[in-house]
Amino acid sequence: MSLDTISLSGRKKEVSNKKMNFWESIYLVAILKGLMITIKHLFKRKVTIKYPEQIREFSPVYRGQHMLKRDEKGRENCTACGMCAVACPAEAITMTAAERKPGEEHLYREEKYASVYEINMLRCIFCGLCEEACPKDAIYLTESKVIVKSASHREDFIYGKDKLVMPLEMAIKNSKSLN
Amino acid sequence: MDSALIIEKGIFIVVIFAITMLMAMYSTLAERKIAAWLQDRIGPNRAGKGGILQPLADGLKLFAKEEFMPDTPNKFLFILGPAISMTMALLTSAVLPWGDKLEIAGHTVILQATDIDVAMLYVFAVLSVGVYGIMIGGWASNNKYSLMAALRASSQLISYEVAMGLSIVALIMMSGTMSLREIAAQQEGMNWNVFYQPLGFIIFLVCSFAETNRTPFDLAECEAELIGGHHTEYSSMKMGFYLFGEYAAMFISSAILAILYFGAYNYPGMSWVAENWGANMANILGIVVLFIKICFFIFFYMWVRWTIPRFRYDQLMNLGWKMLIPLAIANIVLTGVIIIIADKYL
Ligand code: SF4
Ligand code: SF4
């Protein structure tokens, strides 16, 4: 078997460039066939999802907006080790580390913490590798079903700690349900 | 009596104008809706209920756009282009019979702006002038793409007019008149011309697509090669006039198709309705039926547009000169032979 007759997928079709006969060259039959195909689609179910009123169902393994966790005492878990930033294939994460001062033990669990922690949501591909890399169980991609809001400035897509850290009320609720 | 006639015709013309405009407006919406439906989408649905106000929004948008004029020495021609396009699209409607007649307060109103006995020639004359809209616009734009589009459009329209005219000759041989009113009246009941002239109808239909610049013959505005074709340089309402004129032309051409081949305002059972419910009722129903036929043809135009891609230029010319014209001539010969045989033996 010569190389160009092999068909790995089994779907290869030989192209023929034969001359069209009169009826073919008047195109009517082909056009009628096409019309029949399109008219069928007129009665098909429409696939459009009317977005603001209707929201597409999320897949069960969906990865949502990031959250920086607090522990059961309400302290931030993150120790600014930078593992997440290293793991991130999109280089979306940046942070600045700071030393925990005496008297801040109720705020941060570890001796070092992230004073600035930013994720660029335009870069992020929601792969979840940051979550996998984190040794302190600090960053999670939630199932909150919150979608990154549209905005008209690029800066608005850089989410800082104000948007990422778990809200205190949520932490309080969590520790209450634990006790 | 005379002034009454003028007023009557005046009102009638304004009504036809309004209806043509309305149909053209809603054709733009229908085009987008049908495109969407054929592609399993739902189409524009935000402006008004189900998108019913979309044409208004589009019109408003066009009015609000900047009026741009390219640096061309032919400012007058540049404005003349869209004007001709629009005018010629509307002029044809003057000779079309929209219905038979109505009796209003003992006064007979003929549902036609004017009944001239060479209506068919008039229609063709106006259609041929229509190409000047594109040609002048493309020429005056001072842009090579527009000029190319103008060239293509004019050669296309001229070639297809030949076949169109020939296909009509067979029809005229059969009906023995050029008055659209009489042709419409002859197709009473189910005596529609399409049954007697199937080949002629197909040729005429194909040529209509070419004359209205619709896919698969929309080479004049082939975006892939010519940007926007003849209206590349146009903006705001001048552009709107071109687009609008095109839809008006589509409406008129659907009307011509319905009148020439699909029995105009005739429908089976018309005489029964006239006997039982009165002649007025029958004729009003006739108008409705005519509009249903027109809407079907408009739908057909769109259906074809979203089914097949446009022809290559050589295919277009081959189809026009080597297929349609010989077929049309064969159709004339065939019609002539059949008429003679029918005269002799029936
Ligand atoms: S989800 Fe992936 S892309 Fe997004 S921040 Fe985490 S590691 Fe980077
Ligand atoms: S989120 Fe986790 S991996 Fe990233 S800096 Fe904080 S502790 Fe390290």
Side-chain angles (χ1 to χ4, degrees):
Chain A
M1 200 186 274
S2 83
L3 206 60
D4 42 275
T5 53
I6 294 176
S7 167
L8 287 178
S9 62
R11 277 177 297 183
K12 182 171 170 182
K13 279 200 192 120
E14 281 298 322
V15 180
S16 78
N17 255 343
K18 72 172 175 56
K19 248 189 136 27
M20 293 190 287
N21 65 30
F22 181 78
W23 285 111
E24 280 169 332
S25 64
I26 210 155
Y27 304 112
L28 276 182
V29 183
I31 288 173
L32 272 181
K33 267 192 213 154
L35 287 176
M36 284 305 122
I37 293 175
T38 42
I39 199 73
K40 269 188 217 137
H41 283 264
L42 193 66
F43 306 105
K44 277 217 179 123
R45 211 171 59 84
K46 308 298 174 220
V47 293
T48 310
I49 292 170
K50 300 176 187 167
Y51 167 56
E53 295 100 42
Q54 239 177 348
I55 290 172
R56 185 188 293 274
E57 234 180 272
F58 287 94
S59 129
V61 292
Y62 146 83
R63 294 185 287 263
Q65 178 109 56
H66 314 65
M67 188 185 276
L68 283 170
K69 293 280 176 186
R70 295 176 188 273
D71 68 359
E72 65 281 359
K73 290 189 185 130
R75 304 172 298 188
E76 286 175 23
N77 280 358
C78 175
T79 183
C81 65
M83 297 295 278
C84 49
V86 172
C88 178
E91 302 189 359
I93 305 179
T94 52
M95 73 195 71
T96 310
E99 196 116 6
R100 184 178 70 184
K101 305 241 163 46
E104 287 183 334
E105 287 86 355
H106 64 291
L107 288 178
Y108 312 109
R109 195 174 69 180
E110 314 288 338
E111 282 156 19
K112 195 172 111 205
Y113 70 95
S115 60
V116 177
Y117 190 102
E118 285 175 345
I119 301 181
N120 186 336
M121 289 301 172
L122 285 180
R123 303 203 65 151
C124 175
I125 54 172
F126 293 89
C127 62
L129 287 182
C130 45
E131 174 182 325
E132 255 173 59
C134 181
K136 297 289 181 188
D137 278 354
I139 190 156
Y140 277 98
L141 272 68
T142 57
E143 289 174 5
S144 59
K145 304 205 170 169
V146 177
I147 289 175
V148 176
K149 290 251 161 48
S150 55
S152 41
H153 295 284
R154 281 171 179 273
E155 297 77 51
D156 296 344
F157 289 102
I158 299 175
Y159 281 22
K161 274 182 86 171
D162 53 328
K163 286 189 182 138
L164 292 172
V165 177
M166 176 193 271
L168 264 178
E169 305 87 68
M170 197 193 267
I172 292 168
K173 224 165 73 189
N174 282 353
S175 50
K176 265 194 192 146
S177 66
L178 268 179
N179 296 333
Chain B
M1 182 59 212
D2 243 348
S3 62
L5 190 71
I6 291 174
I7 291 172
E8 177 198 310
K9 289 295 179 201
I11 293 173
F12 190 72
I13 288 169
V14 169
V15 168
I16 288 185
F17 177 73
I19 290 176
T20 310
M21 281 300 156
L22 199 76
M23 290 296 278
M25 240 167 90
Y26 275 91
S27 294
T28 61
L29 175 65
E31 175 101 271
R32 294 162 74 179
K33 275 287 189 188
I34 288 169
W37 290 335
L38 292 180
Q39 295 165 357
D40 296 342
R41 300 181 283 116
I42 53 175
N45 64 343
R46 294 285 145 168
K49 208 165 168 45
I52 200 79
L53 296 179
Q54 187 70 39
L56 287 182
D58 287 344
L60 209 66
K61 186 205 83 173
L62 275 175
F63 266 117
K65 288 279 172 186
E66 185 195 345
E67 183 81 65
F68 173 78
M69 182 83 109
D71 192 13
T72 163
N74 300 315
K75 292 238 159 30
F76 174 68
L77 290 184
F78 188 75
I79 297 168
L80 195 65
I84 291 185
S85 240
M86 192 66 164
T87 318
M88 291 307 142
L90 292 174
L91 264 185
T92 325
S93 59
V95 294
L96 300 183
W98 299 97
D100 195 13
K101 51 182 177 286
L102 288 181
E103 297 276 349
I104 301 172
H107 184 70
T108 313
V109 181
I110 292 177
L111 294 172
Q112 187 177 20
T114 166
D115 178 24
I116 48 180
D117 46 8
V118 286
M120 204 86 99
L121 289 184
Y122 171 85
V123 168
F124 271 88
V126 172
L127 273 181
S128 328
V129 179
V131 68
Y132 281 96
I134 295 177
M135 245 165 82
I136 290 177
W139 170 257
S141 291
N142 207 8
N143 170 330
K144 61 183 169 191
Y145 293 112
S146 303
L147 185 60
M148 290 271 271
L151 280 177
R152 281 184 177 192
S154 33
S155 56
Q156 169 189 327
L157 265 67
I158 288 168
S159 346
Y160 278 77
E161 230 154 58
V162 179
M164 197 180 206
L166 288 176
S167 71
I168 281 300
V169 167
L171 184 70
I172 295 171
M173 279 163 68
M174 210 186 77
S175 53
T177 172
M178 282 207 205
S179 152
L180 289 174
R181 184 163 194 79
E182 275 169 48
I183 291 179
Q186 278 174 8
Q187 306 180 52
E188 224 198 315
M190 275 310 263
N191 275 329
W192 297 359
N193 281 336
V194 63
F195 303 124
Y196 301 104
Q197 288 281 338
L199 186 58
F201 168 69
I202 289 172
I203 297 168
F204 191 83
L205 184 70
V206 174
C207 296
S208 299
F209 275 87
E211 291 290 317
T212 44
N213 263 322
R214 295 281 304 179
T215 321
F217 303 111
D218 61 341
L219 280 111
E221 45 190 296
C222 168
E223 300 91 348
E225 299 156 20
L226 297 176
I227 315 178
H230 55 281
H231 47 64
T232 304
E233 297 286 354
Y234 284 87
S235 67
S236 185
M237 221 35 213
K238 288 212 273 301
M239 162 98 164
F241 257 53
Y242 264 130
L243 301 182
F244 223 65
E246 228 158 74
Y247 281 102
M250 187 167 80
F251 168 65
I252 297 293
S253 140
S254 301
I256 295 176
L257 274 165
I259 289 169
L260 287 184
Y261 287 99
F262 271 75
Y265 46 77
N266 292 299
Y267 51 94
M270 193 174 183
S271 49
W272 184 88
V273 175
E275 266 169 40
N276 290 290
W277 300 347
N280 270 358
M281 196 59 210
N283 288 329
I284 288 172
L285 263 181
I287 301 174
V288 174
V289 166
L290 177 62
F291 271 92
I292 291 173
K293 287 172 189 169
I294 294 174
C295 288
F296 168 76
F297 277 113
I298 292 179
F299 171 75
F300 187 72
Y301 270 114
M302 293 170 182
W303 182 12
V304 169
R305 168 161 184 191
W306 300 107
T307 300
I308 42 182
R310 67 173 66 86
F311 281 120
R312 226 170 41 217
Y313 201 69
D314 60 318
Q315 290 172 328
L316 173 96
M317 282 297 156
N318 271 341
L319 186 70
W321 289 100
K322 292 195 191 153
M323 299 290 156
L324 291 181
I325 292 178
L327 268 181
I329 293 173
N331 190 37
I332 292 177
V333 173
L334 200 70
T335 311
V337 169
I338 290 176
I339 287 176
I340 290 174
I341 293 176
D343 273 355
K344 271 229 172 89
Y345 300 104
L346 296 179

